[in-house]
Amino acid sequence: MGKGIDARDFHFAGFRLESARGTLSGPDGQDHRIRPKTFSLLVHLLENPGLLHGRQELLEAVWPGIAVTDDSLTQCISELRKAFGAQAEEILRTVPRRGYILIAEVKVHSWNLSPASPSSPATPPFSASKARDREEARHASVIVEIPDGIAQAEASGLALLSAELARYEDLRVRRAAGREHADYRVRLVDVDGGSPLVFLDEASTNTVLWSEPQARSEEAAGPIDSAREILANRIARQVAVDSRRKARNKAHHDRTARDLCLLAADHHQRATERDTLLAIELLESAVALDPDYAQARAWLAYAIQRGFTQGWGPVRGEAARDTALSMARAALILAPYSPLCLSRLAYCMMLHGKWSEAESTARMALNGPYRGGVKVRISSCEVLAHAVPGEDSIELMKAVLKLDPFCGPTVYSVLGRCLLMAGRPAEALPHLRWCATRLPDYAPCHHSLVMACVETGNMPDALLAWREIQRIQPGWDPTARTGPWFFGRPADEQRMLDAVEAVRAVKIR
């Protein structure tokens, strides 16, 4: 069996060391440049916290078999203290004439990137053909049929639809010459006296999977999305639905990394602790199967952050927040223009209070060369609602509901939060209640409900929402800054604190 890679993240005093990337970042999220030997020294100290390390021991651990002077170790210690800044005395203690002790509390999270199961085959040598096969397995392929003899206007419309579908990062649009390799086929059928029908077929079996009148997309089009964009999104959604169905029916050892991602995304949007844990397990398997699959890492970052916002997952609290940011950054390195990777990075930056970077990254996700569909728009709008509250995010979320009227309940929570952040709590309430009814364990929705109910004078419902929060997150306190309640504007943070104080005052009376 091929040997995998064990990557570890060390969290201490707000700092994070990532062994796989070879980076050290501070509480502000900024990377500190340190020399390789200084990095190795820090790893050795983090692996053995609370122990006294003599100078000779450290010299042998960092420079094995090499004769160096004490000055080399002294320079590394000085470099670490410089990186730690004002926190240096809280992290590293010098014991005169004896050595050093790393006194900070250390938490370690290990990423096992070995093959997913003992029966997995050893990793074969690299070949261009296998690399192409792996790349193809990350997408579904589609062909848009342009029949001979149709009117020029209709042919142009189908060509433009092909171009629109090609903007979806998880689709590959094939030319007519490659039709035998396509997974799905899109065709347009004229109907006497009516709007043409759009069909999506499974290419290998000629099975019709979905159809609707072309006019339906034209009716749904608004100022943000054209009819062609709406139609392309609906086709992409149906491709994902059918791909997920196929993934469910496969044996575990036959599933590709994309299959695992599709199944994990379905679990994640159900917003329960059990489903979140299942999503993380599936995504870790996807990363192990295809370490360069950026979308798997982006989804894993989004699932891990729930250890911070919800307290769900193997890693929790600030360690989950930091690990999610690290994973999101790694995903974007693999796919710099991916709207999914950009939106997940924007969300993780928001959780770190990096408002300017989060806003600009969210806008890149929305306005880049590729389309990410509804899920990308939702998380990007959530970032914008917190960073720059206003009509912009509200209109974008309303457009999402036009784009996909059947999207999950979390859409209504985000739309409610956008309205709430824009100072429209009465309009936010129906959307928040709709989500809370369908996702009773989704704490962020209940957080929003507390504020909206208090600000509209509905204290009985505010108390009910508060009880739900305490059921889901016992002892939750917004002043502890755990969870998604980070605000770009201090006034909005004060609104939340005032709402919680008002609920507590009623309970006391």
Side-chain angles (χ1 to χ4, degrees):
M1 184 176 70
K3 187 177 180 180
I5 299 172
D6 287 328
R8 292 174 298 169
D9 292 352
F10 296 87
H11 302 266
F12 60 101
F15 286 80
R16 181 177 73 256
L17 181 145
E18 300 174 58
S19 62
R21 291 180 62 215
T23 58
L24 172 67
S25 55
D28 59 358
Q30 297 299 311
D31 286 346
H32 293 273
R33 293 174 178 266
I34 58 176
R35 294 174 300 164
K37 288 300 183 184
T38 304
F39 188 88
S40 298
L41 172 64
L42 180 55
V43 170
H44 183 77
L45 293 170
L46 290 169
E47 288 175 338
N48 303 279
L51 300 180
L52 175 64
H53 301 276
R55 294 181 67 87
Q56 189 59 39
E57 173 204 332
L58 295 176
L59 288 170
E60 292 173 357
V62 180
W63 292 272
I66 300 174
V68 296
T69 66
D70 277 5
D71 286 343
S72 298
L73 179 60
T74 301
Q75 289 174 19
C76 289
I77 293 292
S78 296
E79 191 174 5
L80 286 178
R81 291 193 182 279
K82 183 178 179 182
F84 298 151
Q87 294 176 264
E89 296 301 321
E90 302 170 10
I91 299 173
L92 189 60
R93 176 181 297 165
T94 300
V95 180
R97 294 183 295 278
R98 295 189 63 190
Y100 305 93
I101 304 175
L102 192 132
I103 58 175
E105 180 183 358
V106 179
K107 294 181 180 178
V108 184
H109 179 57
S110 298
W111 294 101
N112 185 354
L113 300 183
S114 58
S117 68
S119 59
S120 299
T123 302
F126 173 81
S127 71
S129 62
K130 289 192 177 295
R132 283 194 298 272
D133 291 344
R134 175 171 283 187
E135 176 66 23
E136 287 295 319
R138 296 171 186 164
H139 310 90
S141 57
V142 179
I143 184 170
V144 178
E145 286 196 343
I146 304 179
D148 296 332
I150 66 170
Q152 180 63 37
E154 289 184 352
S156 297
L158 289 171
L160 289 170
L161 177 60
S162 293
E164 188 62 38
L165 286 168
R167 294 185 65 190
Y168 281 80
E169 61 179 318
D170 53 348
L171 296 181
R172 286 291 180 269
V173 177
R174 295 194 181 278
R175 297 179 179 273
R179 67 175 64 244
E180 67 273 12
H181 300 296
D183 300 312
Y184 299 94
R185 178 176 60 243
V186 178
R187 55 193 174 90
L188 200 66
V189 177
D190 286 323
V191 178
D192 292 338
S195 171
L197 291 174
V198 181
F199 285 88
L200 176 69
D201 303 335
E202 185 179 44
S204 61
T205 63
N206 291 320
T207 303
V208 176
L209 301 173
W210 169 84
S211 71
E212 75 171 30
Q214 187 178 24
R216 189 169 298 174
S217 300
E218 295 167 356
E219 293 166 2
I224 295 178
D225 299 291
S226 70
R228 193 174 300 111
E229 288 172 307
I230 297 236
L231 179 57
N233 180 77
R234 291 181 176 175
I235 291 169
R237 181 189 66 198
Q238 292 301 325
V239 167
V241 167
D242 188 65
S243 297
R244 189 178 298 116
R245 174 189 63 80
K246 291 176 180 176
R248 286 197 186 98
N249 292 331
K250 288 182 182 179
H252 181 75
H253 62 270
D254 290 331
R255 287 173 178 163
T256 65
R258 179 173 180 266
D259 292 333
L260 296 169
C261 270
L262 287 167
L263 296 173
D266 187 48
H267 281 293
H268 186 272
Q269 70 179 4
R270 297 177 191 177
T272 69
E273 183 172 13
R274 177 178 178 275
D275 284 296
T276 299
L277 292 171
L278 284 170
I280 291 173
E281 182 180 342
L282 288 165
L283 291 165
E284 286 180 337
S285 295
V287 171
L289 194 61
D290 187 353
D292 293 335
Y293 187 26
Q295 283 72 21
R297 291 182 179 272
W299 269 111
L300 184 54
Y302 204 47
I304 288 171
Q305 59 82 21
R306 281 189 174 164
F308 178 64
T309 59
Q310 301 274 82
W312 297 341
V315 186
R316 302 187 180 188
E318 292 186 358
R321 181 193 63 177
D322 295 344
T323 302
L325 179 61
S326 172
M327 185 63 67
R329 284 173 169 163
L332 196 64
I333 289 171
L334 293 169
Y337 302 107
S338 162
L340 179 68
C341 296
L342 285 164
S343 67
R344 297 317 185 228
L345 180 59
Y347 193 90
C348 292
M349 284 178 168
M350 178 188 76
L351 296 181
H352 279 76
K354 298 176 180 295
W355 294 108
S356 177
E357 299 96 323
E359 179 194 351
S360 62
T361 305
R363 293 194 186 280
M364 288 172 64
L366 292 169
N367 302 315
Y370 295 103
R371 294 196 184 279
V374 166
K375 294 180 178 66
V376 166
R377 295 191 184 203
I378 293 170
S379 52
S380 297
C381 287
E382 189 165 10
V383 171
L384 295 178
H386 284 276
V388 282
E391 295 301 315
D392 190 13
S393 58
I394 295 171
E395 291 306 312
L396 284 168
M397 283 307 301
K398 288 181 177 178
V400 165
L401 286 170
K402 274 194 171 183
L403 198 62
D404 186 358
F406 303 102
C407 47
T410 54
V411 173
Y412 294 90
S413 176
V414 176
L415 175 56
R417 196 172 303 166
C418 291
L419 289 163
L420 184 59
M421 293 297 96
R424 294 156 62 178
E427 295 175 61
L429 273 175
H431 302 293
L432 295 171
R433 284 172 173 152
W434 196 93
C435 177
T437 300
R438 286 154 182 80
L439 294 177
D441 291 340
Y442 188 52
C445 184
H446 295 294
H447 296 163
S448 300
L449 270 172
V450 168
M451 184 190 290
C453 290
V454 168
E455 292 185 350
T456 55
N458 189 341
M459 292 308 297
D461 281 0
L463 285 168
L464 288 174
W466 180 255
R467 290 190 190 114
E468 287 297 293
I469 293 171
Q470 296 305 312
R471 176 184 64 82
I472 303 164
Q473 298 176 307
W476 179 79
D477 181 355
T479 61
R481 290 184 170 273
T482 57
W485 282 109
F486 284 76
F487 301 92
R489 300 187 307 188
D492 291 325
E493 182 174 351
Q494 191 58 49
R495 288 170 62 197
M496 181 62 186
L497 296 175
D498 290 344
V500 171
E501 188 61 32
V503 170
R504 286 172 169 165
V506 170
K507 288 189 69 176
I508 291 172
R509 290 201 301 268

